[in-house]
Amino acid sequence: MVKEQEVKSAYEVAKERYAEIGVDTEKAIEQLSKVKLSIHSWQGDDIHGFLNPDQELTGGIGVSGNYPGIARTPDELTQDLHEGLSLIPGKHKIQLHTLYAVTDRKKDFDEVGPEDFKYWVDWAKEEGVGLDMNGTFFSHPKVKHNFTLASPEKEIRDFWIKVGKQSRAISNYFGEELGQQSVNNFWIPDGFKDNPIDKLSPRKRLIESLDEIIKEKYDEKNTIEAFEGKLFGTGIESYTVGSHLFYNNYAITRDKLWTIDAGHWHPTEDVSDKFSAFMPFGKGLMLHVSRPVRWDSDHVVIFDDALVRIARSLVRDDLLSKTNIGLDFFDATINRVAAWVIGARSTQKALLQAMLAPIDDLKKAENEYDFTKRLAVTEELKSFPFGAVWDEFCQRNNVPVGLDWMDEIRRYEKTVQFKRN
């Protein structure tokens, strides 16, 4: 058990060290406390949802593992989310999908509306969190030959257009009820496994479908749409209708958000470099922070170089106010609640480390061509005691410091999760 006074003493030393280079640790802690992460519900139940939990996953989505304690009901999932949130410092948001509707009768995706998310809104009010939304365009019989909104069949397109419209109504409901903007993210799995003859027509159909979905106006204080591209997917390796460039252009021309998923790019691309290229032209970003291992594998986010670069780009370029940071991973080989905690705390650590730097001074040196100072300072910062500041941040937010949170996870899985199986 980490002792409170030890944390405080270590923080005071770190505070002095950072002050020597002009960094205010109190300001960094305050800045981090304002960042809300959007934590994804689907880590808790392996993306089964409650509408058709036995439906096979489609759209190139797959979950590995069968660690005991999976959430099977709305109450079990919200219980697990509560447990996870209690171990993550700060107040955050939860991302939902159409398939997480809680209904009293059988409903298809296109029939799900705001009334089917009252359970979640009531829970969010009690928990003190916001809600974000995703229309579900996968794991359904009407994903026909890997096509939804870009399908050549009008009947298929019309079904999914209704799903998209309903998701916007649900997202608006979240914003109205919870008093904070709900981001409604759109990702579709449309594409071809092998080389297509016609690459243009599917994209024209997708534009028409999306324009129809967003035709109704909603107050942006309640909801805003974000559009997520992908390099490729399993089963659509040769052609993805909703590519990165497609959605980049769509977001800019429709004054919407562009979603960048860290796992949807080629492994040699630096995702963080996209932010500053898009922001001078775009309204803002939605991030899905994930960890691709060789491909879009959605591993649990860890404090690695890619995450560090993401955090630095957001902080150094002052982009946090225009960026929604969401998590997107799923691993059923480990405790699912622990996965949330590891991913969220790692993301917060990366942001804090980025904030604990003399950014203005470094920018001044760069503009004066003092590249020696730039390199020297950024290298020395790597060994500065940011961990002591992180521990203080956790302590102030009344969550466990260091590995103490694992004791709570072990207690929870023994007394709650393992009893489900």
Side-chain angles (χ1 to χ4, degrees):
M1 178 72 69
V2 178
K3 296 181 180 178
E4 182 177 346
Q5 189 53 49
E6 291 175 351
V7 172
K8 182 63 67 177
S9 297
Y11 172 68
E12 291 302 325
V13 172
K15 184 178 180 179
E16 291 180 10
R17 286 287 311 279
Y18 279 107
E20 292 171 1
I21 58 171
V23 175
D24 185 343
T25 57
E26 289 294 320
K27 184 178 178 180
I29 288 174
E30 181 182 1
Q31 186 181 10
L32 183 60
S33 68
K34 297 176 181 178
V35 177
K36 289 188 176 185
L37 302 182
S38 190
I39 297 168
H40 55 308
S41 60
W42 47 94
Q43 166 61 53
D45 77 327
D46 301 349
I47 329 179
H48 290 300
F50 310 123
L51 289 180
N52 52 359
D54 298 324
Q55 172 71 36
E56 182 182 359
L57 291 175
T58 65
I61 297 171
V63 179
S64 301
N66 57 355
Y67 197 88
I70 184 173
R72 302 158 300 180
T73 67
D75 287 347
E76 289 181 353
L77 185 54
T78 51
Q79 183 181 22
D80 288 354
L81 281 164
H82 172 81
E83 177 70 10
L85 289 167
S86 73
L87 303 174
I88 300 166
K91 283 294 183 181
H92 302 286
K93 301 170 83 177
I94 300 298
Q95 294 181 72
L96 297 172
H97 255 280
T98 301
L99 52 79
Y100 288 99
V102 181
T103 70
D104 56 4
R105 64 181 179 86
K106 182 70 173 177
K107 283 191 175 185
D108 208 343
F109 283 6
D110 65 332
E111 301 173 300
V112 172
E115 67 278 7
D116 302 307
F117 283 85
K118 184 180 185 301
Y119 173 93
W120 283 101
V121 166
D122 290 345
W123 175 80
K125 288 178 179 178
E126 183 178 338
E127 197 73 34
V129 299
L131 295 175
D132 287 331
M133 183 62 188
N134 296 261
T136 304
F137 293 87
F138 55 84
S139 298
H140 190 280
K142 286 194 176 179
V143 180
K144 191 172 180 181
H145 297 294
N146 291 324
F147 273 86
T148 61
L149 292 175
S151 171
E153 299 182 46
K154 185 177 184 302
E155 179 186 355
I156 297 296
R157 294 198 306 276
D158 286 347
F159 175 85
W160 292 109
I161 286 171
K162 181 71 180 298
V163 173
K165 287 182 175 181
Q166 292 292 86
S167 77
R168 294 186 71 225
I170 294 163
S171 188
N172 183 66
Y173 167 62
F174 290 164
E176 288 179 333
E177 289 291 321
L178 300 175
Q180 54 183 296
Q181 189 185 63
S182 174
V183 179
N184 186 18
N185 187 61
F186 285 82
W187 171 78
I188 66 167
D190 296 30
F192 288 113
K193 182 175 180 64
D194 218 332
N195 298 322
I197 302 301
D198 183 357
K199 292 186 176 182
L200 183 58
S201 295
R203 286 178 171 145
K204 286 184 175 180
R205 292 194 294 265
L206 179 53
I207 290 170
E208 291 175 358
S209 295
L210 293 174
D211 283 349
E212 176 63 26
I213 287 172
I214 66 173
K215 187 165 62 176
E216 183 176 352
K217 302 298 181 184
Y218 288 107
D219 193 330
E220 283 193 0
K221 75 177 183 180
N222 295 328
T223 182
I224 188 170
E225 293 74 41
F227 297 91
E228 178 181 355
K230 196 165 187 174
L231 179 65
F232 78 97
T234 303
I236 56 168
E237 293 85 357
S238 296
Y239 170 77
T240 299
V241 182
S243 65
H244 295 303
L245 184 58
F246 176 93
Y247 281 126
N248 180 308
N249 291 332
Y250 191 82
I252 289 174
T253 56
R254 270 61 176 178
D255 198 31
K256 302 295 185 180
L257 305 182
W258 184 34
T259 300
I260 294 180
D261 186 305
H264 288 189
W265 299 79
H266 192 280
T268 60
E269 289 187 275
D270 185 351
V271 172
S272 66
D273 194 42
K274 316 296 177 184
F275 307 161
S276 60
F278 175 78
M279 284 300 204
F281 309 98
K283 190 182 192 75
L285 286 172
M286 175 71 196
L287 297 187
H288 277 184
V289 183
S290 183
R291 178 166 58 106
V293 177
R294 302 187 184 276
W295 68 296
D296 181 24
S297 51
D298 285 303
H299 283 58
V300 177
V301 168
I302 60 173
F303 188 49
D304 61 3
D305 289 344
L307 184 62
V308 166
R309 289 194 297 270
I310 287 172
R312 285 177 181 168
S313 292
L314 294 176
V315 173
R316 291 175 177 178
D317 288 328
D318 195 23
L319 300 177
L320 285 172
S321 64
K322 295 180 67 178
T323 305
N324 302 273
I325 306 174
L327 304 180
D328 184 11
F329 52 77
F330 30 88
D331 187 349
T333 69
I334 64 175
N335 184 291
R336 294 170 182 82
V337 176
W340 276 320
V341 179
I342 293 166
R345 286 172 66 122
S346 294
T347 302
Q348 290 177 297
K349 286 177 187 177
L351 289 168
L352 178 61
Q353 189 185 55
M355 294 167 180
L356 291 169
I359 296 172
D360 291 340
D361 189 41
L362 287 169
K363 287 183 178 180
K364 180 175 182 293
E366 186 170 84
N367 288 332
E368 295 173 351
Y369 312 115
D370 191 351
F371 305 138
T372 304
K373 178 178 180 179
R374 181 182 66 183
L375 183 59
V377 173
T378 53
E379 282 302 296
E380 287 301 322
L381 278 171
K382 292 176 180 178
S383 60
F384 263 59
F386 98 94
V389 185
W390 166 253
D391 289 346
E392 175 71 9
F393 179 71
C394 289
Q395 189 157 276
R396 291 187 188 184
N397 280 275
N398 300 310
V399 301
V401 175
L403 278 172
D404 286 354
W405 66 269
M406 272 300 296
D407 295 336
E408 172 58 20
I409 288 291
R410 294 306 184 201
R411 182 204 67 79
Y412 184 74
E413 67 179 8
K414 181 179 180 180
T415 60
V416 178
Q417 290 173 297
F418 288 174
K419 290 186 176 181
R420 296 172 183 168
N421 297 82

